[in-house]
Amino acid sequence: MHRPRHPVIHILFTPLLLLLLVLAGCGGRPTPEPTAAEGRAQEDPKTPTPLPEVTAAPPQASTPPSAPTASGPGAQDWSQHAFVEAGLFFLGNPQAPIRMVDYSDFL
Amino acid sequence: MVENDVASGRVRIGYWYILDFPPSLTAAQAAECAGAQDPQAFWRMHRLLYERQSQLWSADADTYQGFAQEIGLEGETFRRCMADPAVAARIQELDRQRRDADIRVRPSFDINGRIYRGALPYNTLRQIFAQP
């Protein structure tokens, strides 16, 4: 059986309830400030994205990606590969079809 | 040329010492001793020696020791190598061989067995590389 509310209670508590609901909607926990790292990540579009791990590394250190190659961007860069051939120091692909020896003096 | 033809794997380039001046031998020893630690270090020293060419005329052991430190070589190993007469003898033997082959112009180039005397502009080199 439904009991009707008392009109005085209804008049007093309805605005109070509405006020509490409004305050709850506007307040709540403040949004935390971004940490220093988060702040940089949002502000600096140059933040590097981690590169995927390279499993087939060139023989020596990598070179700048702008280094030109004749075989396209995915080709191996031989300009950092040093080796000894017939007692001389060489740079490049040991199987290169063109073998060039520079006779020179450091002075 | 290195950035194009060597990087692409089409050309490999080697270095043969010419000893034209009294300090040439010590500079060549520095390159040789760098390469003895790591072939890659030979080319680091090669680049440094050309960059500091003006210092080489008056360079002493400390100068070269500083170069070695600059390119990350192990100091004591480098010092012992520089003092090794066998290293100097090997370089002098290479110099004798090139004189016997009548390679007397500096620089000269051996490209697949053909000798080119004098500096070569890059365009000329490309034409030589394109030859069958």
Side-chain angles (χ1 to χ4, degrees), chain B residues 18-68:
Chain B
I18 287 182
L19 307 179
D20 269 353
F21 305 102
S24 301
L25 176 60
T26 318
Q29 281 178 272
E32 191 75 8
C33 289
Q37 289 194 29
D38 174 11
Q40 190 73 37
F42 171 88
W43 294 101
R44 292 202 298 273
M45 182 65 85
H46 172 278
R47 184 172 58 206
L48 190 63
L49 291 170
Y50 279 113
E51 284 174 1
R52 309 285 170 83
Q53 197 172 42
S54 62
Q55 296 180 34
L56 303 184
W57 294 94
S58 57
D60 58 14
D62 287 342
T63 309
Y64 287 108
Q65 204 65 33
F67 289 172

Side-chain angles (χ1 to χ4, degrees), chain A residues 43-60:
Chain A
E43 290 164 13
D44 184 2
K46 295 175 189 167
T47 300
T49 306
L51 296 173
E53 188 176 347
V54 178
T55 52
Q60 293 293 329

Side-chain angles (χ1 to χ4, degrees), chain A residues 68 80 91 96 99-101 104, chain B residues 3 12-14 18 40 112:
Chain A
Q80 302 297 312
L91 195 64
R99 179 183 190 268
M100 177 174 170
V101 176
S104 202
Chain B
E3 287 185 352
R12 64 189 194 272
I13 184 167
I18 287 182
Q40 190 73 37
N112 280 352

Side-chain angles (χ1 to χ4, degrees), chain A residues 23-64:
Chain A
L23 287 174
C26 294
R29 290 196 311 174
T31 304
E33 289 294 319
T35 62
E38 287 169 347
R40 281 196 300 275
Q42 289 166 357
E43 290 164 13
D44 184 2
K46 295 175 189 167
T47 300
T49 306
L51 296 173
E53 188 176 347
V54 178
T55 52
Q60 293 293 329
S62 62
T63 54

Side-chain angles (χ1 to χ4, degrees), chain B residues 5 35 47 50 58 66 79 82 85-87 89 93 95 100 105 120:
Chain B
D5 306 285
R47 184 172 58 206
Y50 279 113
S58 57
R79 192 195 61 74
M82 289 293 283
V87 175
E93 171 60 17
D95 189 52
D100 289 350
V105 176
L120 295 173

